């Protein structure tokens, strides 16, 4: 089987993925699987999706040659895929539009979502407003506190934001709570899952909706540089922006695919969110993948300056690509990500999301090892307006 | 025949229904679980469902979630749950014990290793909430080979076409979740459950237990009229949570005895 043919009909990427949920959700997931299968083979559905991406999101997003950054980093030429320029400021909207169109097709009037940094929550609230649906967003209480601008955005868009105070009060607990809501309201409610994770068919359908990123790059890079890049770099939390840009590049053997996890205070410190770099396979949130867990199989708390990467699991396709050797995964620590954040602000006039800053930080390490005529494509998955409070705080500045 | 099968056969011969209380191992304290298990039996439990604590209990409501958090704070993991079961077995060799929990702790131990250790400890059945039959290849068989009954859930959203598939993978009994939602939800419509159970029984010869929404003698009686077993979780865990220190075992015993009277009232009238 080719790497691009996955998952199989039951949602497996080799040993990863699958459907590990309670019986109560099995019928809903089957309904979603069947409906998505119809939708993706329905030219009218795909045409509407593409229309919305063009006219509502503003796609295609540009690819930009970051010349001053490349010069500073000294080596390969760095290009940025500008997902930060999308409506709502991140790649998340690609997926929420796709899922909202599916929800409408299935006659569901209520949508729910989980969110970490708040980007997916904002993107969900946005499409709920756009298509006239009720929207409830679950968000860890700790994230509500550190991402207050996005919480207010969601409220402005008409969504209800529910702070989740169980467990570690972050993304994983918000996901637990969203699943509980879905179990309870399964007939009226569509769960807009924010990343390429969760039970089948979510990892597949989120990937498919996000693949527009990589497909555009396949056209844009030759237009701009005459060829495809030598390496593609993307940050990996759940991994939707990464799989979106990686997947179309999988058949291009000459293109290195590098996923960047959150190293937090450093892998050795144990305070990080890097399951592919330092975890082991297990089952959480409906799928099998690399996880951060202790010796009893309990999920351990994660640490990252970036709320969007603060998740103990990772989308199953990344686990598969790691084992297959087609993608490499590295970790970037908080301080390295913050340095890259400032680099991009000052050298290119772009305030990147802290998530995306992890990808830029790895480009900073990789570029000097490559020749000046080599090309690194970084997925700049989101803009950093939401992070200015966090950056001020870690810099000791009161706004 | 497994200890679970023997229990149901014996109850049937006496025209009685089974009462299956649930507690989370390690809640409220590591040393409390075995005394609580014995108290459950003394108060009339036929089978004990012992919850294995997990950090992310996705299918549970706030009551059992908090029990899991308390147990984890007491550093209770899957190995401790097996130790507790073995301790219980020193003085009780007849009451079946079913472990109920999530896949990851079992997966992390390894299905084969777990199955052997569980059997040796005296466990009779295992319900891994987030392993549906579709993912149970290599799990159910391993459990069955070790002499453990794999327990599976059915729910109001399960289509008739799936019941046979679930029944084929299952052993011991079928656990019918009577409500949509997480554990501890309210409002139980016994008429709707009765209709669904009639459909289930057309495809499945295993005894059927019903859980979710049972909180007192009256609801226990209503469910005992239509099911082979009555499963009570959140109500008991709530009692453990709210009992003053030192009174936990007695409070639980009192509650389970009340539930027992409800269950038995159903068979007297039948």
């Amino acid at each position: 089987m080719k790497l691009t043919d996955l998952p199989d009909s039951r949602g497996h990427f080799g040993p990863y993925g699958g459907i590990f949920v309670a019986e109560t959700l099995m019928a809903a997931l089957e309904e979603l699987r069947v409906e998505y299968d119809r939708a993706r083979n329905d030219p009218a559905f795909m045409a509407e999706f593409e229309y919305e991406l063009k006219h509502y999101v503003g796609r295609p997003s540009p690819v930009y040659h970051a010349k001053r950054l490349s010069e500073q980093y000294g080596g390969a030429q760095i290009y940025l895929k500008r997902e930060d320029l999308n409506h709502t400021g991140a790649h998340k909207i690609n997926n929420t539009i796709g899922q909202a169109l599916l929800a409408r097709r299935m006659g569901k009037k209520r949508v729910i979502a989980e969110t970490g940094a708040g980007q997916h929550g904002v993107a969900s609230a946005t499409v709920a407003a756009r298509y006239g649906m009720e929207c409830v967003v679950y968000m860890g209480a700790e994230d509500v506190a550190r991402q207050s601008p996005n919480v207010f955005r969601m409220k402005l868009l008409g969504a209800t934001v529910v702070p989740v105070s169980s467990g570690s009060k972050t993304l994983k607990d918000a996901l637990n709570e969203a699943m509980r809501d879905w179990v309870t309201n399964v007939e009226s409610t569509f769960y807009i899952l924010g990343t390429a994770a969760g039970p089948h068919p979510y990892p597949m359908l989120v990937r498919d909706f996000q693949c527009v990123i990589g497909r555009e790059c396949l056209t844009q890079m030759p237009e701009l540089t005459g060829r495809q890049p030598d390496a593609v770099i993307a940050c990996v939390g759940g991994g939707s922006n990464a799989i979106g840009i990686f997947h179309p590049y999988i058949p291009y053997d000459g293109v290195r695919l590098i996923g960047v996890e959150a190293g937090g205070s450093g892998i050795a410190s144990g305070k990080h969110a890097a399951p592919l770099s330092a975890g082991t396979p297990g089952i959480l949130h409906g799928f099998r993948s690399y996880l951060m867990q202790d010796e009893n199989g309990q999920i351990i708390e994660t640490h990252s300056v970036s709320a969007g990467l603060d998740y103990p699991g990772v989308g199953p396709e990344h686990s598969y690509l790691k084992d297959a050797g087609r993608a490499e995964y590295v970790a970037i620590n908080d301080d390295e990500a913050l340095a890259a954040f400032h680099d991009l602000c000052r050298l290119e006039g772009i305030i990147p999301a802290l998530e995306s800053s992890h990808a830029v930080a790895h480009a900073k390490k990789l570029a000097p090892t490559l020749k000046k005529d080599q090309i690194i494509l970084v997925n700049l998955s989101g803009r950093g307006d939401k992070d200015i409070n966090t950056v001020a705080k870690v810099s000791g500045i009161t706004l | 025949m497994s200890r679970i099968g023997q229990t149901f056969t014996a109850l049937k011969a006496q025209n009685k229904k089974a009462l299956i209380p649930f507690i989370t191992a390690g809640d409220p304290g590591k040393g409390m679980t075995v005394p609580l298990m014995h108290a459950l039996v003394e108060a009339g439990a036929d089978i004990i469902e012992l919850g294995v604590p997990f950090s992310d209990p996705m299918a549970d409501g706030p009551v059992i979630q908090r029990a899991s958090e308390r147990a984890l704070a007491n550093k209770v993991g899957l190995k401790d749950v097996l130790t507790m079961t073995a301790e219980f077995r020193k003085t009780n060799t007849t009451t079946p014990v079913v472990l109920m929990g999530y896949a990851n702790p079992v997966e992390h131990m390894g299905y084969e290793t777990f199955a052997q250790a569980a059997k040796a400890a005296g466990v009779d059945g295992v319900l891994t909430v987030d392993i549906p039959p579709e993912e149970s290849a290599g799990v159910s068989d391993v459990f069955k080979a070790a002499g453990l009954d794999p327990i599976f859930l059915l729910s109001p959203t399960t289509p008739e076409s799936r019941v046979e598939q679930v029944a084929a993978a299952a052993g011991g009994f079928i656990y019918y979740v009577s409500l949509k939602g997480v554990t501890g939800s309210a409002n139980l419509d016994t008429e709707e459950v009765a209709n669904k159970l009639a459909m289930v029984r057309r495809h499945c010869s295993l005894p059927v237990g019903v859980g979710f929404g049972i909180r007192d003698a009256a609801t226990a009686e209503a469910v005992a009229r239509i099911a082979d077993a009555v499963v009570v979780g959140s109500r008991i865990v709530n009692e453990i949570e709210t009992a003053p220190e030192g009174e936990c075992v007695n409070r639980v015993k009192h509650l389970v005895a009340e539930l027992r009277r409800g269950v038995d009232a159903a068979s007297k009238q039948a």
Side-chain angles (χ1 to χ4, degrees):
Chain A
M1 186 176 272
K2 285 192 302 197
L3 285 176
T4 45
D5 288 344
L6 296 170
D8 69 15
S9 64
R10 303 234 57 92
H12 296 111
F13 301 86
Y16 304 111
I19 308 180
F20 292 90
V21 298
E23 178 62 26
T24 326
L25 285 178
M26 291 302 289
L29 289 166
E30 177 62 12
E31 183 192 10
L32 178 60
R33 188 189 67 77
V34 168
E35 199 54 43
Y36 175 60
D37 209 44
R38 285 190 197 126
R40 68 173 168 171
N41 291 305
D42 176 354
F45 178 87
M46 294 313 293
E48 184 172 14
F49 178 55
E50 277 156 31
Y51 181 92
E52 295 288 274
L53 289 181
K54 183 175 176 189
H55 296 281
Y56 188 65
V57 177
R59 301 204 72 94
S61 66
V63 169
Y64 165 73
H65 185 191
K67 286 185 191 152
R68 276 167 47 81
L69 191 78
S70 307
E71 210 167 287
Q72 172 80 23
Y73 287 177
Q77 300 306 305
I78 298 167
Y79 287 76
L80 306 174
K81 176 62 172 170
R82 298 292 307 275
E83 290 297 298
D84 60 314
L85 294 177
N86 291 339
H87 178 43
T88 75
H91 70 289
K92 295 289 187 186
I93 190 89
N94 305 326
N95 168 47
T96 59
I97 285 182
Q99 291 198 45
L101 290 175
L102 265 180
R104 200 183 60 188
R105 195 183 157 96
M106 294 167 78
K108 313 267 181 180
K109 302 250 188 287
R110 178 177 183 267
V111 296
I112 57 171
E114 86 295 336
T115 197
Q119 294 301 85
H120 175 59
V122 168
S124 298
T126 299
V127 296
R130 163 80 184 81
Y131 300 112
M133 296 162 174
E134 182 195 347
C135 180
V136 177
V137 180
Y138 291 94
M139 188 167 186
E142 189 174 306
D143 293 334
V144 168
R146 61 180 167 173
Q147 302 287 342
S148 56
N150 269 344
V151 174
F152 189 56
R153 266 184 206 112
M154 287 183 260
K155 290 180 179 167
L156 286 174
L157 292 161
T160 306
V161 179
V162 181
V164 177
S165 297
S166 56
S168 60
K169 305 179 177 61
T170 58
L171 179 56
K172 83 176 173 75
D173 310 285
L175 215 154
N176 288 334
E177 209 56 38
M179 285 276 186
R180 291 186 185 111
D181 180 315
W182 198 31
V183 169
T184 310
N185 303 296
V186 67
E187 270 142 26
S188 67
T189 298
F190 188 100
Y191 180 17
I192 302 187
L193 212 150
T195 192
H200 182 63
Y202 281 108
M204 175 178 75
L205 72 84
V206 175
R207 175 199 72 196
D208 292 352
F209 291 140
Q210 291 293 2
C211 272
V212 64
I213 305 172
R215 278 199 307 271
E216 287 174 1
C217 293
L218 283 179
T219 313
Q220 290 166 318
M221 290 309 291
E223 280 172 7
L224 210 54
T225 70
R227 63 187 184 88
Q228 298 299 347
D230 298 284
V232 175
I233 303 180
C235 64
V236 179
S240 71
N241 90 81
I243 204 69
I245 197 167
F246 286 179
H247 196 263
Y249 274 106
I250 287 174
Y252 293 75
D253 290 336
V255 181
R256 283 173 70 186
L257 306 176
I258 307 172
V260 184
E261 297 190 294
S265 311
I267 297 291
S269 73
K271 291 184 179 298
H272 58 83
L276 289 166
S277 307
T280 51
I283 296 168
L284 178 69
H285 292 151
F287 63 105
R288 185 184 279 118
S289 196
Y290 280 85
L291 286 182
M292 307 242 322
Q293 54 185 327
D294 69 11
E295 68 283 1
N296 288 315
Q298 307 292 349
I299 309 309
I300 53 182
E301 284 192 23
T302 51
H303 298 268
S304 172
V305 69
S306 144
L309 302 182
D310 212 347
Y311 180 65
V314 62
E317 193 160 9
H318 287 295
S319 291
Y320 186 77
L321 291 174
K322 172 189 158 81
D323 287 4
R326 180 60 189 95
E328 311 152 49
Y329 296 88
V330 297
I332 282 291
N333 299 349
D334 287 350
D335 54 349
E336 297 169 315
L338 281 159
F341 173 94
H342 290 298
D343 291 343
L344 205 57
C345 288
R346 298 202 179 173
L347 292 168
E348 299 291 349
I350 296 170
I351 302 178
L354 282 174
E355 291 78 14
S356 322
S357 301
H358 285 72
V360 177
H362 188 65
K364 191 176 187 171
K365 287 185 177 173
L366 183 64
T369 70
L370 302 178
K371 295 192 208 92
K372 284 217 184 291
D373 62 350
Q374 289 190 290
I375 295 168
I376 296 172
L377 174 62
V378 173
N379 196 13
L380 200 70
S381 54
R383 69 179 184 219
D385 309 45
K386 69 183 176 62
D387 292 317
I388 56 173
N389 288 325
T390 306
V391 173
K393 200 176 161 194
V394 298
S395 315
I397 297 162
T398 314
L399 291 182
Chain B
M1 190 186 276
S2 73
R3 200 149 29 199
I4 294 172
Q6 287 167 7
T7 300
F8 277 105
T9 307
L11 286 168
K12 200 169 183 183
Q14 302 166 55
N15 190 31
K16 284 176 78 173
K17 300 296 177 69
L19 174 60
I20 310 181
F22 168 97
I23 58 172
T24 299
D27 173 41
K30 209 168 186 172
M32 294 293 289
T33 300
V34 175
L36 275 170
M37 290 170 80
H38 287 301
L40 294 175
V41 175
E42 284 166 36
D46 299 299
I47 295 171
I48 293 173
E49 235 178 48
L50 195 54
V52 180
F54 184 50
S55 51
D56 294 78
M58 237 165 54
D60 285 298
V63 173
I64 292 179
Q65 220 182 118
R66 286 196 299 270
S68 227
E69 284 176 11
R70 286 192 295 271
L72 290 174
N74 295 330
K75 306 243 179 292
V76 172
L78 182 53
K79 283 178 196 153
D80 304 292
V81 181
L82 297 179
T83 307
M84 290 167 183
T85 307
E87 181 67 27
F88 171 75
R89 279 275 169 261
K90 283 183 183 167
T91 49
N92 183 320
T93 54
T94 52
T95 309
V97 173
V98 172
L99 300 191
M100 181 165 178
Y102 292 80
N104 200 54
V106 179
E107 163 129 340
H108 195 72
M109 185 182 281
Y111 294 101
E112 187 74 50
T113 309
F114 163 77
Q116 297 304 328
K119 184 67 190 173
V123 171
D124 302 285
V126 181
L127 198 179
T128 34
V129 177
D130 52 349
I131 303 188
E134 284 83 349
E135 297 287 353
S136 73
V139 178
S140 282
D141 293 347
V142 169
F143 288 177
K144 282 179 177 169
L148 299 170
D149 284 326
I151 316 288
F152 283 92
L153 300 170
L154 289 176
S155 86
T157 54
T158 305
E160 184 160 4
S161 56
R162 252 178 78 77
V163 176
E164 242 165 275
Q165 186 189 357
V166 175
F173 65 97
I174 289 278
Y175 184 168
Y176 180 76
V177 172
S178 58
L179 295 166
K180 290 188 280 292
V182 293
T183 52
S185 312
N187 299 328
L188 177 67
D189 181 345
T190 44
E191 196 174 331
E192 194 189 317
V193 175
N195 290 336
K196 196 81 183 194
L197 290 193
M199 181 274 281
V200 169
R201 288 184 208 281
R202 283 201 295 277
H203 302 280
C204 172
S205 57
L206 289 171
V208 183
V210 170
F212 282 34
I214 300 156
R215 48 196 67 242
D216 51 23
T219 41
E221 182 182 341
V223 168
R225 286 222 183 88
I226 52 176
D228 301 303
V230 178
V231 187
V232 189
S234 295
R235 178 65 190 88
I236 295 170
V237 173
N238 183 59
E239 197 71 12
I240 292 171
E241 183 172 47
T242 55
E245 217 182 313
E247 286 184 40
C248 176
V249 173
N250 275 334
R251 288 279 191 99
V252 167
K253 219 167 160 177
H254 187 81
L255 171 64
V256 173
E258 182 197 330
L259 295 166
R260 178 79 253 174
R261 283 193 292 277
V263 170
D264 289 344
S267 36
K268 272 171 202 147
Q269 284 178 17

